[in-house]
Amino acid sequence: MEPRPAVTTLPDLSRLKPAGGKRSSKREKIVNVFLRQEGHLSADDLVDVIRHEDHRISRATVYRTLQWMVDAGVARKVDFGEGRFRFEHSYRHPRHFHLICKTCHRSFEFLSSDIESIIEEVAEARNFTSSQSVVQIYGQCEECRTGSSTLTSQGHTDLLFARDALRIAIATERSGLEFYTRAAKVTKDARGRKIFEDLAHEEGSHLVKLEARYNELLQRDPQLESRPTFLFFKGAANGLFAEGAERLMRGVNDQQALMMGIRCERGSHRFFKKYGEKFEDSEGKQIFLEFADEEREHLELLVREYRALVKRQGGRTRRTARALSSARASR
Ligand SMILES: [Zn+2]
Ligand SMILES: [Zn+2]
């Protein structure tokens, strides 16, 4: 695993030097100040912040640099319908949607891969190549509505994203652990039982690692746990294992137990890979892709075991092939 840079680390901007290689210290200063800001700034907000640090930098230079940052992909331009653009930086700041409060004019970020999937589906059905999609929910935030000062501020989006990715991975790992623990109990074949015990053990030690990583995140932001949900999912992979664990209790034979493990791992692997690949570069993406790899290893192990079991029990290979491909089809 590659070492993960702390979220406060600024990107290497050397590749962003203007053509001709001339160093522009004003531009560098503006970029650095901009990257330290959270939230969505108007050009004038940025001018205020910059001029506070260095009053010799002109408004025009800030405007020009902002446009240059947009072109270079350092900044994203967002339109909240206020008659002026706002800007957010894109460094370790995955793409997202916005909730916008009409009362206090603050905006809150979230990500929903279900929404993204629907957008893709619609575009595809209409033979449309989409390059950008914007989802904005206008209304009133909880604080403006109730007067209660709940923790609505988001903190660092990359951290929130990593937190939510880890929560999903941990939930999946927990239900995987439950599934394999039960599977080991119901399996009569000694070798099959050993496999399930080993997998339960492995899920258990992964769980410890994920929880340690989660705690490490909490140290970077003590309020992280109480910040609002960023990443929304319907039907994450933990549901697969939970359903599987329930079915195990209704009585299955060894082959069926292995096949259920295969289905769960395959579904889980696909879930984490599909979404991991969709996300932009971020710690949350890494968590998803690493988890997808672990699930694939479990899947391959179970498939090998299934084949070995069928062979030992004198099953025909054609039946095995058919069962495996139906597991694949039902993902
Ligand atoms: Zn509000
Ligand atoms: Zn935003």
Side-chain angles (χ1 to χ4, degrees):
M1 196 176 70
E2 272 179 54
R4 282 166 286 122
V7 287
T8 44
T9 314
L10 294 175
D12 173 18
L13 294 168
S14 53
R15 69 184 176 87
L16 299 174
K17 292 262 166 63
K22 200 177 136 231
R23 281 175 66 91
S24 166
S25 63
K26 277 184 187 168
R27 173 179 285 180
E28 271 169 31
K29 185 172 250 168
I30 295 168
V31 171
N32 282 317
V33 170
F34 178 67
L35 290 176
R36 284 205 308 270
Q37 309 301 312
E38 282 302 317
H40 311 89
L41 278 77
S42 69
D44 291 330
D45 293 338
L46 184 62
V47 168
D48 290 344
V49 181
I50 301 278
R51 306 235 355 211
H52 188 75
E53 297 213 359
D54 186 344
H55 60 92
R56 292 165 306 171
I57 297 180
S58 74
R59 186 171 295 268
T61 307
V62 175
Y63 282 13
R64 250 197 331 270
T65 306
L66 252 182
Q67 188 52 52
W68 174 81
M69 284 194 282
V70 170
D71 297 339
V74 178
R76 279 188 294 250
K77 209 170 180 177
V78 288
D79 182 0
F80 292 159
E82 312 160 287
R84 61 173 176 178
F85 289 109
R86 288 180 178 273
F87 299 86
E88 59 183 19
H89 67 76
S90 49
Y91 175 67
R92 293 189 75 82
H93 187 182
R95 233 174 340 97
H96 53 266
F97 302 129
H98 295 106
L99 295 148
I100 300 152
C101 178
K102 291 289 240 181
T103 307
C104 66
H105 302 292
R106 285 182 304 168
S107 60
F108 312 95
E109 302 181 334
F110 74 98
L111 192 60
S112 159
S113 292
D114 301 306
I115 294 180
E116 287 188 90
S117 298
I118 289 169
I119 292 172
E120 268 172 31
E121 225 172 83
V122 171
E124 206 179 298
R126 297 285 293 265
N127 283 323
F128 193 83
T129 312
S130 72
S131 56
Q132 193 198 356
S133 51
V134 176
V135 174
Q136 290 176 348
I137 303 176
Y138 290 92
Q140 200 172 34
C141 72
E142 189 183 5
E143 212 172 307
C144 288
R145 207 179 55 250
T146 65
S148 73
S149 54
T150 46
L151 191 61
T152 43
S153 87
Q154 290 215 128
H156 202 292
T157 300
D158 192 41
L159 267 186
L160 280 183
F161 187 19
R163 177 200 67 181
D164 293 349
L166 272 176
R167 282 181 178 170
I168 291 168
I170 286 170
T172 307
E173 203 76 89
R174 278 210 186 108
S175 56
L177 174 61
E178 173 76 21
F179 175 84
Y180 290 120
T181 307
R182 285 194 190 176
K185 276 190 200 137
V186 302
T187 300
K188 292 177 186 67
D189 175 71
R191 183 169 155 180
R193 190 164 56 238
K194 174 83 169 58
I195 291 297
F196 286 134
E197 281 165 0
D198 289 351
L199 279 168
H201 183 78
E202 197 163 310
E203 301 276 11
S205 63
H206 281 167
L207 191 55
V208 171
K209 271 191 222 152
L210 289 173
E211 280 167 348
R213 195 157 170 188
Y214 188 81
N215 288 327
E216 185 227 317
L217 278 189
L218 295 186
Q219 292 186 351
R220 288 196 244 160
D221 175 2
Q223 288 184 298
L224 191 62
E225 284 225 281
S226 45
R227 295 194 191 279
T229 307
F230 173 73
L231 185 58
F232 289 85
F233 270 113
K234 270 196 219 151
N238 59 328
L240 290 170
F241 284 105
E243 205 188 302
E246 211 162 280
R247 273 190 55 203
L248 281 177
M249 301 317 280
R250 282 186 252 136
V252 292
N253 66 30
D254 299 356
Q255 270 194 35
Q256 288 168 325
L258 274 170
M259 185 51 73
M260 283 166 62
I262 288 171
R263 285 207 183 107
C264 293
E265 293 289 355
R266 197 187 310 274
S268 179
H269 165 68
R270 287 191 179 163
F271 171 84
F272 285 98
K273 190 170 152 66
K274 176 182 164 196
Y275 288 111
E277 282 172 351
K278 260 190 197 177
F279 298 140
E280 287 179 305
D281 232 5
S282 57
E283 191 163 352
K285 182 193 184 90
Q286 274 177 30
I287 290 164
F288 264 58
L289 291 179
E290 280 167 32
F291 200 72
D293 282 346
E294 281 173 14
E295 299 296 71
R296 199 195 54 230
E297 277 168 31
H298 292 172
L299 171 64
E300 286 166 357
L301 176 81
L302 286 169
V303 168
R304 279 198 302 277
E305 271 318 303
Y306 186 89
R307 291 201 169 117
L309 178 74
V310 170
K311 214 174 201 175
R312 282 203 312 285
Q313 295 184 341
R316 283 195 305 269
T317 25
R318 262 176 74 192
R319 247 183 66 206
T320 318
R322 203 164 49 227
L324 286 171
S325 69
S326 83
R328 215 167 286 143
S330 68
R331 56 168 317 331

